[in-house]
Amino acid sequence: MSTDVSNALDPRLPGSPDTVAVFTDLNCSFAHVAVHRLHETRRRLGLEGSIWFDLRAFPLELFNEEVNARPGVDSEISVLGALEPDAGWRLWQGPDWAYPVTTLPALEAVEAAKAQGWHASEQLDRGLRRAFWAEGRCISMRHVILDVARATDGAVDADTLATALDSGTARSAVIAQYRAACDGRVRCSPHVFLHDGTDSANPGVSARWINGDFGIGSPVIDEDRPEVYEDLLKRAAGLAGA
């Protein structure tokens, strides 16, 4: 964790002290762990309704200029799933041709849902993660994204979201988030930023690959400190006076 980002105009930072900016991709297993821990830690600390998560796009497909390969994702599931089994995981059960080739429409939907409030965006983001990781659904598809929105118990107005998706109102914001993350300014998915410039890349988790890189070898977790999430959210609460 570091506190070396102090410029209030830095596009990586959340817009208000009660908001935590979280750069992630939806098909990143490390991000699935991080988002689950953020939600569960916030609940445990009694900060729901006081601290909000601004889920921002870190589109791996744009950084890597290729699909986030299924062999690499599959190799991470048993390792990362063991860290937070309650987040919801299973190996992809559908045919290869149904595997999500892009997360950009889903990332755009999460951004578009912010027009309905932080809660709407958070619930859509979490629902899309569950849909992919736990239910094996193709979140590249418009109808799947809208089905997930309808399943948020009223948190997201799916018709309003459909209009936003069809008009592309959030597309430029997703690309702006990607550009803000370029050149190493955001190091990975996930990377968390607080309003005062405090940041943590892949909070609490140190990992490496053996017998080959992503898609060939296997990940090994050298360190896992979930207590980092409590430190981050308590700091955010202090900034917000919560």
Side-chain angles (χ1 to χ4, degrees):
M1 188 184 301
S2 61
T3 56
D4 58 353
V5 184
S6 57
N7 186 349
L9 299 179
D10 191 318
R12 298 170 298 179
L13 303 186
S16 60
D18 64 348
T19 309
V20 176
V22 190
F23 284 83
T24 75
D25 205 344
L26 287 159
N27 62 352
C28 170
S29 59
F30 289 92
H32 189 39
V33 169
V35 171
H36 176 76
R37 286 179 168 176
L38 283 167
H39 279 276
E40 293 304 305
T41 304
R42 182 178 66 177
R43 178 189 57 77
R44 188 173 66 251
L45 294 175
L47 293 173
E48 291 179 314
S50 299
I51 299 297
W52 301 98
F53 303 138
D54 180 356
L55 284 306
R56 300 185 182 180
F58 189 91
L60 293 167
E61 66 200 73
L62 297 187
F63 285 103
N64 299 329
E65 296 187 337
E66 62 181 12
V67 173
N68 199 28
R70 178 185 164 186
V73 175
D74 283 353
S75 71
E76 294 175 342
I77 288 177
S78 62
V79 176
L80 275 296
L83 297 186
E84 288 294 339
D86 291 342
W89 310 83
R90 73 172 182 177
L91 289 170
W92 182 261
Q93 301 298 305
D96 285 345
W97 48 262
Y99 193 79
V101 69
T102 178
T103 62
L104 285 174
L107 291 169
E108 185 178 334
V110 170
E111 182 63 28
K114 292 174 187 176
Q116 301 182 39
W118 291 122
H119 180 64
S121 180
E122 290 179 356
Q123 293 306 302
L124 181 61
D125 174 272
R126 208 171 190 194
L128 288 166
R129 293 180 196 278
R130 284 194 298 267
F132 174 66
W133 291 104
E135 300 168 5
R137 301 172 70 185
C138 182
I139 60 171
S140 301
M141 304 294 290
R142 176 185 183 277
H143 72 278
V144 173
I145 294 169
L146 295 177
D147 284 347
V148 171
R150 293 185 188 98
T152 59
D153 295 327
V156 181
D157 184 315
D159 291 338
T160 301
L161 180 65
T163 299
L165 286 176
D166 295 344
S167 60
T169 57
R171 194 163 303 152
S172 61
V174 168
I175 297 303
Q177 291 162 11
Y178 159 65
R179 289 175 176 159
C182 285
D183 301 322
R185 293 192 298 272
V186 177
R187 294 197 291 279
C188 64
S189 168
H191 197 157
V192 173
F193 291 85
L194 305 187
H195 188 66
D196 69 348
T198 298
D199 76 283
S200 182
N202 204 10
V205 176
S206 176
R208 58 189 168 88
W209 287 82
I210 60 172
N211 299 323
D213 294 330
F214 179 81
I216 299 174
S218 302
V220 173
I221 305 300
D222 288 326
E223 182 180 42
D224 180 34
R225 296 184 298 113
E227 65 273 13
V228 165
Y229 288 87
E230 186 167 322
D231 296 339
L232 285 166
L233 290 181
K234 284 182 175 179
R235 186 177 185 90
L239 294 172

